[in-house]
């Protein structure tokens, strides 16, 4: 995304020049050569990327995550050990609009593939987490509730730097509670987590926390979180301890019922297949 530098940006610009053809001349920042900082993801690159994304039906967020990279042929599509199509996933989300799944599943699949999380257990955990956190299969920002807001105080006051929870989350400045509220499919929360996973993904996430709800970023945060904790997750699933598996993500048992429902349904479905 904007601000990145390196060979990957050079390749992205080349791919955009190829797919945009003559229209690429509209964006001077896409020009090849040192005079135009060919290895810098600048405003022109973002605008060009948005234009291309909109033209092919992708979310025009100006972020070249795994889904966009596959569409630009910068990365191959992943091969999964299970069926990960709209019809199959819809059976695991009985209360969710199929259109939401159709729009967002390709981003999730691309991110899981980028992290090598293509086996049944990790796919089931990813889908179970989405249903537990954002059953609509859309990356969202956390809403004020009794879990994040102290009685009689502003929204997300429970996350403020002056509280014990806020300190645990790494919040340090006034407004950090709201600024670093939960976002995405995994509901990433707290300045420390935004900084940690932003560094892992090589994006300025702490400086752009709203990007956590962009489909490309939300999907990658989900995959990165599962990848980081996959040893604990695999151990819990091997023991069929779905409560322990849910605790890895949530820290407790909130959302255990929908999470367990997805994992159980998925195991039965894929075993039959």
């Amino acid at each position: 995304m904007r601000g990145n530098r390196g060979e990957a940006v050079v390749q992205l610009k080349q791919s955009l020049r190829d797919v945009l053809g003559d229209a690429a001349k509209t964006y001077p920042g896409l020009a090849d050569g040192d005079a135009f900082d060919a290895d810098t993801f600048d405003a022109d690159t973002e605008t060009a990327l948005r234009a291309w994304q909109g033209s092919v039906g992708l979310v025009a967020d100006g972020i070249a995550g795994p889904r966009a990279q596959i569409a630009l042929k910068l990365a191959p599509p992943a091969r999964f050990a299970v069926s990960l199509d709209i019809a199959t996933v819809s059976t695991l989300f009985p209360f969710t609009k199929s259109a939401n799944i159709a729009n967002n599943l390709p981003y999730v699949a691309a991110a899981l593939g980028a992290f090598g999380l293509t086996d049944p257990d990790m796919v089931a955990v990813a889908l179970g987490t989405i249903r537990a956190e954002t059953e609509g299969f859309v990356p969202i920002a956390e809403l004020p509730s009794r879990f994040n807001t102290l009685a009689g105080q502003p929204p997300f006051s429970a996350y403020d730097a002056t509280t014990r929870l806020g300190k645990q989350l790494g919040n340090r400045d006034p407004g950090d509670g709201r600024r670093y509220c939960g976002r995405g499919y995994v509901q990433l929360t707290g300045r420390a987590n935004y900084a940690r996973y932003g560094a892992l993904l090589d994006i300025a996430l702490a400086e752009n926390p709203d990007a956590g709800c962009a489909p490309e970023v939300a999907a990658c945060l989900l995959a990165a979180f599962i990848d980081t904790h996959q040893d604990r997750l695999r151990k819990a699933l091997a023991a069929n301890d779905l409560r322990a598996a849910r605790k890895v993500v949530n820290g407790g048992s909130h959302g255990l019922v929908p999470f367990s429902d997805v994992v159980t349904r998925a195991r039965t479905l894929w075993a039959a297949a």
Side-chain angles (χ1 to χ4, degrees):
M1 58 190 292
R2 193 194 295 202
N4 281 124
R5 298 178 65 95
E7 181 58 31
V9 178
V10 175
Q11 296 175 8
L12 171 64
K13 289 187 177 185
Q14 178 61 62
S15 291
L16 287 172
R17 289 196 296 271
D18 292 343
V19 296
L20 291 173
D22 290 340
K25 297 176 183 177
T26 308
Y27 312 101
L30 288 185
D32 192 10
D34 294 336
F36 294 94
D37 293 326
D39 68 342
T40 300
F41 196 127
D42 56 12
D44 269 352
T45 305
E46 181 180 283
T47 303
L49 178 58
R50 287 180 186 273
W52 169 78
Q53 288 172 318
S55 72
V56 297
L58 299 182
V59 175
D61 54 17
I63 299 172
R67 176 73 179 96
Q69 291 176 33
I70 290 172
L72 285 167
K73 295 182 171 54
L74 288 170
R79 295 176 63 87
F80 285 84
V82 296
S83 297
L84 195 59
D85 53 63
I86 298 168
T88 299
V89 174
S90 291
T91 65
L92 307 177
F93 285 74
F95 311 112
T96 302
K97 295 179 180 179
S98 59
N100 289 356
I101 296 174
N103 290 336
N104 290 281
L105 179 59
Y107 292 94
V108 172
L112 293 175
F115 278 84
L117 303 171
T118 58
D119 61 282
D121 276 350
M122 293 301 97
V123 173
V125 165
L127 295 177
T129 298
I130 293 174
R131 186 168 162 200
E133 301 288 351
T134 62
E135 187 157 357
F137 217 113
V138 176
I140 60 173
E142 183 179 10
L143 295 174
S145 71
R146 63 185 179 86
F147 299 106
N148 57 41
T149 301
L150 301 176
Q153 296 193 29
F156 305 107
S157 53
Y159 294 162
D160 283 345
T162 55
T163 68
R164 176 183 296 183
L165 177 56
K167 292 175 181 177
Q168 291 175 346
L169 292 170
N171 292 337
R172 67 188 189 204
D173 298 331
D176 275 0
R178 177 187 291 274
R179 187 175 300 115
Y180 298 110
C181 68
R183 288 184 178 86
Y185 294 115
V186 77
Q187 291 294 281
L188 189 74
T189 309
R191 177 187 283 271
N193 279 325
Y194 277 75
R196 177 186 182 188
Y197 285 94
L200 193 155
L201 298 177
D202 191 26
I203 58 175
L205 186 61
E207 292 75 24
N208 303 279
D210 285 337
C213 285
E216 292 275 28
V217 177
C220 283
L221 288 173
L222 172 67
F225 190 92
I226 292 173
D227 183 58
T228 300
H229 298 90
Q230 67 168 300
D231 289 344
R232 291 172 60 197
L233 287 166
R234 291 187 186 282
K235 182 178 179 180
L237 291 178
N240 200 32
D241 190 345
L242 300 185
R243 179 177 293 272
R246 177 61 186 152
K247 188 176 181 179
V248 172
V249 179
N250 177 255
S253 59
H254 180 73
L256 176 61
V257 172
F259 174 84
S260 300
D261 185 56
V262 168
V263 174
T264 302
R265 284 173 182 250
R267 283 176 161 177
T268 301
L269 183 67
W270 292 330

